[in-house]
Amino acid sequence: MAYDSPSPATSDHLAPSLCLNPDAIEDIAPVQPTEQNLLPASFPTLAWSELSSAEYKASKSEKKLCYRHRPDLRAGRAADEIQLEELQQDIEKLPPQDQQIISHIWSLFGSASASHRQLVLSGLLTQCCVPQLSFLSNHLQPLLRIDFLTILPTEIAFHILSYLDATSLCHAAQVCKSWKRLADDNVVWHRMCEQHIGLKCTKCGWGLPLLKKRSRGRRQLEHQQQQQRISHSQDSQDESDSEIHPHTIHSATLRVAETISSLPSPPHQPSQELSARRRSASSEFDDGDRQSKRARHSSRSPSPGCERQSLSPLFQQPEPPVKPAGTTKRLWKDIYSERLIVERNWRKRNYKMKVFRGHTDGVMCLQFDESVLITGSYDNTVKVWNVETGECLRTLTGHALCVRALHFDEAKLITGSMDRTLKIWNYHTGQCIRTLQGHTDGVVTLDFDSRVLASGSVDSTIKIWNFATGECTTLTGHSDLVNKVQLYKKTMLFSASDDMTVKLWDITTRTCTHTLTGHIGRVQSLQTSGDALISILTKRRPNRSRTLDNGQHSPAYDSGSSDNETRTMMPIVITGALDNTLKVWNAETGDYLRTLFGHENGVWSLAFDKLRIVSGSLDRTIKVWDTESGDCLYTLSGLDGPVTCVGLGDTRVVGGSANGAIVIWDFGAQKAK
């Protein structure tokens, strides 16, 4: 008989019962010889030689357990128990003598050494017919399957599961209870969230929103603590203000200003004359204030300027609120599922639209978070809205002319107006804390962080106000009014102007480091990525478009980058201008990256995050773009007038119109259409 000895590397697979433990013998021989079930005297007694018995005992002493006969794994295999029961029933149908012979053969095989077992099996295979070989093939295939996740260490199993996508991971959880325990573990889903939340996955091309949400009770507690601290800081601020002598402060510096309530407001103008209104509003204020301004200047001697003067703090930042005890942690799988629903709504354009009305003139600026929306208008007021219900919580009045800029954090709101002033508010109570003066013309834009406040004006200058020391410095370089400023990496500042340029400034040295040119129209808006790095695709192949529900064509979302695409992470700045385009630049080097075409009229406002760009135009539309590829995904409509300001959140797009309406497109967790 020809016999090919198997290689040692495959021995465990060819003979799965080489562990030679008592449990394995019971599996192989379910019918054991007993006193009532003995072989007849005429049956020859067979036994292995002493050498084979010694080899068997040596192997048994090693207690080598294979995958099939590990006690911890055998307990969970119900299929083996069912097979043994069926085998026992088939044997009981045989005559007693046949049962004895089969039982004796199994006993001999169970007590044989590994080499003898392979020899016996090889001989049996040479004598098997095709039906018997087919029987063996059908039965060996399921026996050779190994539950690798169960036998491997937990850490390795988690690492293997981390290579699956969310759909495959959910399918794995449906295999068995042990797989469900591993596939639903927080370690695996935390890795899944790291790959998708806040950025696009390099494997599947999907990205999920951040959804920075906090409980309502925690937010109310923070507001109460902040109001108490702000009231104390306001008292101390009033005391410090009383110590500043009016003759020590130049007109270009900050000071507590008298409320200008007797000056006339600008007449109502059509929304198409936005550019003319921002200039005319400032000139009207000049006529009413020129005489009083000259009187104040003549009453004191000239001052060298506002640069580097040591003044009182502008605003004392309250301490961060104490986190309430007993907060519960959510499962990472639930966090991923919540964000996946929102992302699907973004892709399917499944949103709920809300319209807020209350302003009597055009809305020129807005900002919102998860609870409140604050808007500034040509009607000289600032309104605070409940972003969920649309209720106007309070109206802030005090500016003499239209409010062109605003920015808020959890402690304060700062507004800029064409009356040439900036005001600091406690928007939780509606109280004006302080008024800043320094610009010689209307304030069009502002931005601040924890250290400084930057403001841009129709007077073509940018002023930097220091919160801690009260110092004011001026940046000059633009030849026309400054439409937008934004702080960048604490010491830098981007500015956009009607002179069709974008400048990058070093605040510490007060010098311009880069000038970005390329727009052929007035640059109305810009936004930087801050400290975040944005994924940008270069050397792209044109993407096929898909048909939307309204019959329009829009580029499809990429499932991943193709072979001829290069994904680069970099800080970026995006600008929008009246030449109907948006441009993307490298924020560090100033290199031009791409131009986004699609609007039929000038781009007035924009906002973006790591996944999407939204832009509002005078063509009364808001377009949603893919940040990575620059493709236009779809267009949002619903505003009756030119879009003057837009805001972007994880679940919302907010647009303000020149006719005074505010529209919110909410992509939160809703039922799919």
Side-chain angles (χ1 to χ4, degrees):
M1 177 183 64
Y3 168 68
D4 295 332
S5 177
S7 60
T10 59
S11 298
D12 293 342
H13 295 286
L14 295 176
S17 56
L18 295 182
C19 56
L20 305 178
N21 60 6
D23 294 334
I25 297 176
E26 292 178 3
D27 288 348
I28 295 174
V31 179
Q32 298 291 333
T34 60
E35 295 181 357
Q36 292 79 18
N37 187 17
L38 297 176
L39 294 173
S42 60
F43 192 87
T45 302
L46 301 176
W48 299 108
S49 64
E50 295 182 0
L51 180 61
S52 299
S53 300
E55 183 180 352
Y56 165 75
K57 293 179 181 179
S59 301
K60 186 176 180 180
S61 62
E62 295 178 1
K63 296 182 179 180
K64 180 182 178 181
L65 300 179
C66 72
Y67 166 75
R68 289 198 64 209
H69 300 109
R70 278 175 50 179
D72 56 332
L73 301 179
R74 291 180 66 253
R77 287 204 304 268
D80 290 352
E81 298 178 359
I82 297 175
Q83 185 178 6
L84 290 176
E85 292 179 359
E86 294 176 353
L87 187 61
Q88 179 71 36
Q89 294 175 2
D90 293 339
I91 292 178
E92 290 177 353
K93 298 177 182 179
L94 300 177
Q97 184 175 355
D98 296 345
Q99 296 182 26
Q100 296 168 3
I101 294 175
I102 293 175
S103 178
H104 184 66
I105 294 174
W106 284 342
S107 298
L108 288 175
F109 186 84
S111 60
S113 61
S115 59
H116 288 177
R117 287 187 181 188
Q118 295 177 10
L119 184 63
V120 171
L121 291 175
S122 299
L124 291 176
L125 289 176
T126 60
Q127 300 180 22
C128 290
C129 301
V130 173
Q132 296 165 351
L133 292 175
S134 177
F135 172 82
L136 289 175
S137 176
N138 294 335
H139 282 72
L140 285 176
Q141 185 175 2
L143 292 178
L144 291 176
R145 294 173 181 170
I146 297 178
D147 186 358
F148 62 93
L149 290 182
T150 304
I151 64 176
L152 289 174
T154 305
E155 293 78 6
I156 299 179
F158 288 159
H159 185 73
I160 294 174
L161 291 175
S162 66
Y163 286 95
L164 301 180
D165 56 18
T167 304
S168 302
L169 203 57
C170 293
H171 290 166
Q174 299 174 356
V175 173
C176 59
K177 291 182 178 179
S178 60
W179 280 43
K180 178 177 177 57
R181 176 180 56 82
L182 294 172
D184 289 346
D185 195 274
N186 249 0
V187 175
V188 178
W189 285 99
H190 180 259
R191 175 71 179 273
M192 185 70 66
C193 291
E194 286 181 336
Q195 294 176 351
H196 293 85
I197 294 180
L199 71 163
K200 277 196 173 184
C201 178
T202 57
K203 300 177 182 178
C204 65
W206 275 70
L208 304 182
L210 290 174
L211 295 187
K212 296 180 180 179
K213 291 185 177 180
R214 291 172 296 176
S215 63
R216 183 174 300 179
R218 177 183 174 184
R219 187 169 183 85
Q220 291 177 352
L221 177 62
E222 289 180 359
H223 286 175
Q224 293 175 0
Q225 295 174 346
Q226 289 170 359
Q227 290 176 9
Q228 294 176 358
R229 292 189 180 96
I230 290 172
S231 61
H232 292 304
S233 64
Q234 180 184 352
D235 295 337
S236 61
Q237 188 66 49
D238 293 338
E239 295 176 1
S240 63
D241 290 345
S242 61
E243 297 176 359
I244 302 176
H245 196 274
H247 292 284
T248 62
I249 307 177
H250 188 260
S251 61
T253 62
L254 67 161
R255 64 177 177 271
V256 179
E258 299 177 355
T259 303
I260 311 173
S261 57
S262 60
L263 296 175
S265 299
H268 181 74
Q269 300 288 340
S271 60
Q272 290 79 4
E273 301 178 357
L274 295 175
S275 299
R277 292 180 63 177
R278 61 185 177 186
R279 299 176 185 268
S280 62
S282 179
S283 62
E284 290 177 12
F285 181 74
D286 279 341
D287 296 338
D289 186 55
R290 187 173 290 115
Q291 294 180 356
S292 59
K293 181 178 180 181
R294 289 177 178 175
R296 290 196 301 268
H297 276 282
S298 61
S299 63
R300 60 173 181 261
S301 58
S303 176
C306 67
E307 275 70 11
R308 304 298 181 185
Q309 292 188 10
S310 178
L311 302 174
S312 63
L314 299 184
F315 183 82
Q316 294 182 356
Q317 187 75 14
E319 297 179 0
V322 181
K323 294 183 178 180
T327 55
T328 58
K329 294 183 178 180
R330 299 178 58 194
L331 296 177
W332 283 106
K333 185 177 182 180
D334 295 340
I335 295 174
Y336 183 91
S337 301
E338 179 185 20
R339 284 150 177 78
L340 181 62
I341 293 174
V342 175
E343 180 61 21
R344 285 174 176 170
N345 290 339
W346 276 101
R347 296 190 172 219
K348 297 178 180 179
R349 293 197 303 168
N350 180 18
Y351 56 79
K352 181 179 180 182
M353 192 168 68
K354 307 175 186 177
V355 180
F356 297 173
R357 298 188 184 275
H359 285 292
T360 59
D361 208 337
V363 178
M364 300 307 299
C365 51
L366 63 85
Q367 185 187 346
F368 70 96
D369 59 13
E370 67 274 8
S371 60
V372 298
L373 164 68
I374 303 181
T375 57
S377 170
Y378 258 110
D379 60 10
N380 308 349
T381 65
V382 176
K383 290 185 179 294
V384 182
W385 311 79
N386 185 313
V387 75
E388 294 288 346
T389 64
E391 176 188 2
C392 182
L393 302 178
R394 61 190 57 87
T395 300
L396 311 182
T397 59
H399 282 294
L401 295 179
C402 63
V403 180
R404 284 298 311 274
L406 64 84
H407 190 69
F408 74 90
D409 58 16
E410 293 187 351
K412 62 184 177 298
L413 162 70
I414 302 181
T415 58
S417 170
M418 295 303 290
D419 62 10
R420 296 178 290 183
T421 65
L422 297 98
K423 290 183 180 292
I424 303 177
W425 309 78
N426 179 353
Y427 64 93
H428 303 293
T429 62
Q431 181 183 8
C432 180
I433 302 175
R434 196 163 188 179
T435 301
L436 310 179
Q437 288 184 343
H439 284 289
T440 59
D441 214 328
V443 179
V444 180
T445 177
L446 66 90
D447 188 28
F448 68 84
D449 57 16
S450 59
R451 303 179 305 108
V452 297
L453 162 67
S455 60
S457 170
V458 181
D459 61 13
S460 306
T461 65
I462 303 168
K463 291 192 179 295
I464 309 297
W465 318 75
N466 191 302
F467 282 121
T469 63
E471 294 176 343
C472 173
T473 58
T474 302
L475 306 178
T476 58
H478 283 294
S479 59
D480 208 334
L481 66 87
V482 180
N483 289 313
K484 187 68 176 179
V485 295
Q486 185 171 5
L487 297 169
Y488 177 66
K489 292 189 175 180
K490 296 183 179 180
T491 60
M492 309 295 288
L493 174 77
F494 275 98
S495 62
S497 171
D498 268 6
D499 60 12
M500 297 183 291
T501 65
V502 176
K503 291 183 180 294
L504 176 61
W505 306 82
D506 188 329
I507 298 177
T508 56
T509 61
R510 289 179 287 171
T511 57
C512 177
T513 61
H514 290 90
T515 299
L516 311 182
T517 59
H519 282 291
I520 57 176
R522 298 173 179 176
V523 185
Q524 296 295 315
S525 58
L526 67 83
Q527 182 180 332
T528 71
S529 60
D531 296 330
L533 299 179
I534 305 299
S535 176
I536 299 295
L537 288 181
T538 57
K539 300 180 182 179
R540 299 189 62 247
R541 179 176 55 193
N543 194 15
R544 293 180 299 175
S545 63
R546 61 185 176 92
T547 303
L548 300 177
D549 298 337
N550 58 3
Q552 298 178 354
H553 292 276
S554 176
Y557 281 89
D558 291 334
S559 59
S561 59
S562 61
D563 296 336
N564 61 343
E565 292 175 344
T566 302
R567 180 180 282 105
T568 307
M569 303 296 293
M570 66 180 72
I572 64 172
V573 55
I574 302 180
T575 57
L578 295 184
D579 57 8
N580 309 351
T581 65
L582 295 91
K583 290 185 181 294
V584 184
W585 316 76
N586 187 318
E588 293 292 335
T589 63
D591 294 337
Y592 163 80
L593 299 177
R594 65 165 58 103
T595 300
L596 310 183
F597 298 94
H599 283 291
E600 299 177 358
N601 211 327
V603 178
W604 196 269
S605 180
L606 66 89
F608 76 92
D609 56 21
K610 292 184 177 181
L611 304 178
R612 278 167 284 272
I613 306 170
V614 295
S615 58
S617 169
L618 300 180
D619 60 12
R620 304 187 179 188
T621 64
I622 294 177
K623 290 188 178 294
V624 181
W625 315 74
D626 183 78
T627 304
E628 185 178 62
S629 64
D631 294 332
C632 181
L633 304 177
Y634 46 81
T635 301
L636 300 175
S637 58
L639 290 170
D640 298 332
V643 182
T644 53
C645 51
V646 295
L648 174 64
D650 293 326
T651 61
R652 297 181 179 93
V653 175
V654 182
S657 173
N659 64 0
I662 306 159
V663 179
I664 296 180
W665 292 266
D666 192 349
F667 294 84
Q670 307 166 15
K671 294 183 180 179
K673 293 181 180 179

